[in-house]
Amino acid sequence: MSPPPSSGKDSGTARILGSGTSGIAELLIFHPVDTVAKRLMSNKNKVSFSTLSPIIFRDHASAPLARKFLSLFPGLGYAAGYKVAQRVYKFGGQPWFNDLINKHYKSNFTNTFGERKGKMMMQATAGSLTGIGEVVLLPLDALKIKRQVNPEAFRGRGFVRIFMEEGTTLYRGWGWTMARNAPGSFALFGASAVTKEYVLGVTDYSRATWTQNFIASIAGAVASITIAAPLDTVKTRIQNANFERKVSGVQVVKELVKNEGPTAFFKGLTPKILVVGPKLVFSYTLAQSLIPLFSKYV
């Protein structure tokens, strides 16, 4: 998703508060869908109508509707930390990388791709670099996923104790995470830029209207999630294993192809794509509204 355009008057504090608040609000609304997607991706058995409820709701499959719904909010604390940090990083990181590329490598991109395509490639490359850097947030992402699909791994331990005891184990799957984020973020910002440039006729991305940003964000997000889906499934299965069980990505791929077939790489893709539209519209619009508001006070 394209970050809120900087007008030069929005302070860094306002961008942090605006994008962070946007991340919290987005989390509260969309965390249940993310839980469903993660549990479907982690399920190694064939999915049918009769097994769908136990897969999604686990021990609460036969509980009343309200308790079923609340069971989709495991790991909310870790998810909040991850989502807020991720949104703040993405909203501020991609424009920073783009400015850096423009300052030092613009001529290289222009000479290679031409002025118009070079501008879009810089946007995509900046997005890819931002995505790779997200690996620093991996421990929060790993803990969030474990709470969603494998809560037994915690055994009553809190965040600080887990972090002290597990250490680098929380960075398990970092290579697969970077491998997923690089093309995923490239597609996110690249497809968004291509849509604005070629479909909507927007040459100055910062002047895009709400509707234009909505359309471009949907195109970018669908492209990103689809391209990153196979590696995302591998990353999720590495992360949701028990802390003491070391699982390699190659081992996950071999078992997945052998037991479930190649289509299993795209498990959970449908619910993620179905939520992309409203999720991006919501978070983008809220961030755009809150950042100027906070700028009046900080």
Side-chain angles (χ1 to χ4, degrees):
M1 181 177 65
S2 302
S6 175
S7 61
K9 63 182 180 181
D10 296 330
S11 67
T13 303
R15 295 189 71 179
I16 291 173
L17 290 174
S19 56
T21 304
S22 172
I24 293 173
E26 175 191 337
L27 174 77
L28 293 175
I29 294 174
F30 295 101
H31 186 65
V33 180
D34 183 50
T35 298
V36 171
K38 289 292 190 297
R39 288 178 177 177
L40 286 172
M41 283 191 290
S42 299
N43 172 57
K44 297 182 180 181
N45 301 315
K46 290 190 177 295
V47 179
S48 65
F49 184 78
S50 60
T51 61
L52 196 59
S53 184
I55 291 171
I56 294 175
F57 299 108
R58 300 288 176 84
D59 295 336
H60 298 84
S62 58
L65 185 60
R67 290 191 63 187
K68 278 185 177 181
F69 180 71
L70 291 176
S71 73
L72 297 178
F73 283 91
L76 188 59
Y78 301 111
Y82 174 69
K83 179 56 66 178
V84 173
Q86 182 195 45
R87 282 302 179 209
V88 170
Y89 174 76
K90 263 194 179 297
F91 282 137
Q94 195 272 349
W96 184 83
F97 278 114
N98 191 53
D99 290 342
L100 197 67
I101 294 172
N102 261 292
K103 183 177 180 180
H104 298 286
Y105 304 103
K106 183 177 180 180
S107 59
N108 300 75
F109 279 87
T110 302
N111 293 335
T112 304
F113 302 103
E115 186 172 351
R116 194 178 186 187
K117 292 180 180 178
K119 180 175 66 172
M120 292 182 288
M121 285 297 296
M122 284 189 287
Q123 286 281 340
T125 303
S128 186
L129 293 172
T130 307
I132 291 172
E134 277 187 63
V135 73
V136 298
L137 304 176
L138 195 60
L140 287 172
D141 186 30
L143 292 172
K144 173 182 77 88
I145 291 174
K146 278 181 169 59
R147 288 295 294 178
Q148 287 175 308
V149 301
N150 188 16
E152 295 81 10
F154 282 75
R155 294 190 291 272
R157 297 178 294 173
F159 172 76
V160 175
R161 184 179 172 188
I162 290 175
F163 198 84
M164 294 295 292
E165 291 179 358
E166 305 301 339
T168 56
T169 304
L170 294 173
Y171 280 94
R172 182 184 292 163
W174 66 268
W176 291 91
T177 299
M178 293 176 71
R180 177 203 66 170
N181 287 355
S185 293
F186 184 93
L188 175 67
F189 290 97
S192 177
V194 168
T195 303
K196 288 178 180 177
E197 191 84 26
Y198 286 106
V199 179
L200 304 173
V202 179
T203 54
D204 186 350
Y205 303 155
S206 65
R207 294 183 179 275
T209 65
W210 184 92
T211 303
Q212 289 169 333
N213 279 320
F214 164 78
I215 296 171
S217 296
I218 297 301
V222 171
S224 173
I225 289 177
T226 304
I227 289 173
L231 289 171
D232 193 32
T233 299
V234 174
K235 179 191 80 78
T236 298
R237 294 199 177 186
I238 292 173
Q239 289 179 312
N240 69 27
N242 286 329
F243 288 111
E244 62 272 9
R245 182 181 172 225
K246 188 174 182 180
V247 181
S248 70
V250 175
Q251 181 184 346
V252 169
V253 171
K254 286 181 178 179
E255 290 180 357
L256 188 146
V257 173
K258 179 182 177 181
N259 300 326
E260 304 166 63
T263 56
F265 282 112
F266 293 93
K267 276 187 174 180
L269 180 61
T270 300
K272 292 179 81 172
I273 288 182
L274 288 176
V275 81
V276 161
K279 184 176 182 179
L280 291 183
V281 170
F282 177 83
S283 59
Y284 185 82
T285 304
L286 192 59
Q288 285 257 82
S289 302
L290 289 179
I291 290 174
L293 179 64
F294 282 122
S295 291
K296 295 179 181 179
Y297 305 101
V298 292

